[in-house]
Structures are given as C-alpha cells and as structure tokens.
Amino acid sequence: SQQGEEDPQALSIQEGENATMNCSYKTSINNLQWYRQNSGRGLVHLILIRSNEREKHSGRLRVTLDTSKKSSSLLITASRAADTASYFCATDAGGGGADGLTFGKGTHLIIQP
Amino acid sequence: DVKVTQSSRYLVKRTGEKVFLECVQDMDHENMFWYRQDPGLGLRLIYFSYDVKMKEKGDIPEGYSVSREKKERFSLILESASTNQTSMYLCASSLWGSGRGEQFFGPGTRLTVL
C-alpha cells in the first residue's frame, strides 16, 4: 500500500533556484528516506532521517521531518541541471528495512538551464 | 561501494512464457527486495527476503514467485508472463538491523510482455 505521497508531482525551476518537495505519510515510522532516480535508472539513496530527528543536512540537501504532522520536506539548494530527476520519499515502518520500504509516487524535478 | 546488478536491462517476452529476472549483490546484505515501478503508481513491493531460502510477500505478489538459494542472489520468476506484467523491475538490498533502512538498488530491468 502506498504510504508516502509527494507534492508536487512535478516541479520546474531555473538553475540556481532552490527546490522544495514535500512528502506526507500515514502511519508511524522508524525512519524516512529520500531517493533520486535519473530517467530509466535505478534509485539512489540520498538521505535518511530517523523518527527522533527533526532536520538533517547533506551537502546541498536539507531534510526536515515533522512526525506530529506526518510530513517531511526535501530542499535542494542552488539547483543544477544535473539535479533533474525524480525524487521519492520512502518510509520504513519495520525493523531494519526487513519489511521493505513504502514509496511515494515521486516528484519529477526539472532544472531549466 | 555496494553493487547490485540485474541480469538484463531490457527484456522482451511473449505471453505465457516463464521469465526469470536475476539480481546479485556483492555486499553480503541479508535483505533483498523486488519492486515493480509503473507510471503514476510509483514503486510497489512484490517480494522480499531476509535470509537464504526465506521469502515474504509484499504488496503485489500475485503472478510472481521468488527464489533465494544463495545469500547474494535473489530471483524473481514470472511463471506465465502476461501483458499486465510489462513494467520496470527493480531489485534492492539492505543490511539487517534496526535503523538501517537504506536500500541499494540495481539499474532495473525493463520488461515488455507481448
């Protein structure tokens, strides 16, 4: 069953601008993860935030988690053409990923040069 | 670096054929997963395995089976392929243990069933 829902479904911005994507989910989680998928390829893990964390940074990425609202956001600062991809949030409700992640449908991000 | 490989990038099969999709990981991960990805539906979990010879159904197991005879290899089997199984199939692996939900994905197999 789908748990994470990303918003917006598609986003087009100019290179250099910041991109923000949101994810909402329905049940309690151990952690929430963001992945990137370039066209026709496999997914690449970007960042994991645990349920007891509120914010996490990795390079130009900033992720926030609000467990009271069951939502997360991914901010990409100073976007580049190479950031063009689909971005998925995924929730881990089980122990250690043994039950599989539940993915949203993704946000397709286009960075205009 | 973790490497997850899948046997084919593109595959074309006919309705009724038996199809094997192979996945191999080289990092001694306990958990392995098979997802399918369809436009507008995102990724959906078909089966997963947390140990050799162990398997668990995911959200959409109907029409599929799996095999895990060795730790590094996880096979997805379509017993009798149908056109509604045309999709992108993604394999992933992860370490066992709480708090380690990160999954490593293969490049995907785009299967077309005619």
Side-chain angles (χ1 to χ4, degrees), chain A residues 17 57-62 74-80 82-83:
Chain A
E17 293 180 341
H57 296 255
S58 177
R60 293 184 295 112
L61 305 180
R62 173 178 169 255
L74 170 67
L75 169 67
I76 303 174
T77 60
S79 63
R80 305 168 182 170
D83 295 328

Side-chain angles (χ1 to χ4, degrees), chain B residues 59-97:
Chain B
D59 296 321
I60 51 163
E62 296 79 18
Y64 303 94
S65 62
V66 290
S67 171
R68 192 157 181 210
E69 296 296 318
K70 293 185 178 181
K71 191 175 185 180
E72 68 271 18
R73 188 180 297 268
F74 192 35
S75 301
L76 180 69
I77 304 155
L78 287 65
E79 294 289 342
S80 177
S82 64
T83 55
N84 63 12
Q85 292 179 308
T86 291
S87 185
M88 170 74 109
Y89 289 88
L90 293 164
C91 174
S93 71
S94 72
L95 279 170
W96 177 265

Side-chain angles (χ1 to χ4, degrees), chain A residues 24-44:
Chain A
S24 60
Y25 58 93
K26 297 175 184 172
T27 64
S28 297
I29 59 171
N30 288 337
N31 65 64
L32 184 144
Q33 303 172 38
W34 286 90
Y35 288 79
R36 184 188 73 228
Q37 184 180 36
N38 291 92
S39 180
R41 310 291 297 186
L43 277 71
V44 175

Side-chain angles (χ1 to χ4, degrees), chain A residues 1-2 30-31 33 35 37 40-45 48 50 88 92 95-106, chain B residues 9 31 33 35 37 40-45 48 59 88 90 94-103 105-107 110:
Chain A
S1 58
Q2 296 290 334
N30 288 337
N31 65 64
Q33 303 172 38
Y35 288 79
Q37 184 180 36
R41 310 291 297 186
L43 277 71
V44 175
H45 182 265
L48 180 154
R50 292 185 171 80
F88 295 86
D92 174 18
D99 297 324
L101 297 173
T102 303
F103 285 83
K105 296 178 184 179
Chain B
R9 288 299 314 279
N31 304 323
F33 309 86
Y35 297 89
Q37 184 178 22
L41 296 177
L43 276 79
R44 292 178 290 167
L45 181 64
F48 65 95
D59 296 321
M88 170 74 109
L90 293 164
S94 72
L95 279 170
W96 177 265
S98 62
R100 289 303 305 269
E102 177 185 351
Q103 293 189 5
F105 281 81
R110 188 167 293 281

Side-chain angles (χ1 to χ4, degrees), chain B residues 16-72:
Chain B
E17 281 192 79
K18 190 168 186 176
V19 181
F20 293 86
L21 302 182
E22 304 284 339
C23 175
V24 178
Q25 50 94 4
D26 66 358
M27 283 301 290
D28 204 35
H29 283 174
E30 290 83 6
N31 304 323
M32 295 189 75
F33 309 86
W34 275 107
Y35 297 89
R36 65 176 282 176
Q37 184 178 22
D38 301 286
L41 296 177
L43 276 79
R44 292 178 290 167
L45 181 64
I46 305 170
Y47 267 98
F48 65 95
S49 167
Y50 53 88
D51 201 353
V52 175
K53 296 193 185 295
M54 305 301 288
K55 60 184 179 183
E56 295 286 342
K57 293 180 180 179
D59 296 321
I60 51 163
E62 296 79 18
Y64 303 94
S65 62
V66 290
S67 171
R68 192 157 181 210
E69 296 296 318
K70 293 185 178 181
K71 191 175 185 180
E72 68 271 18

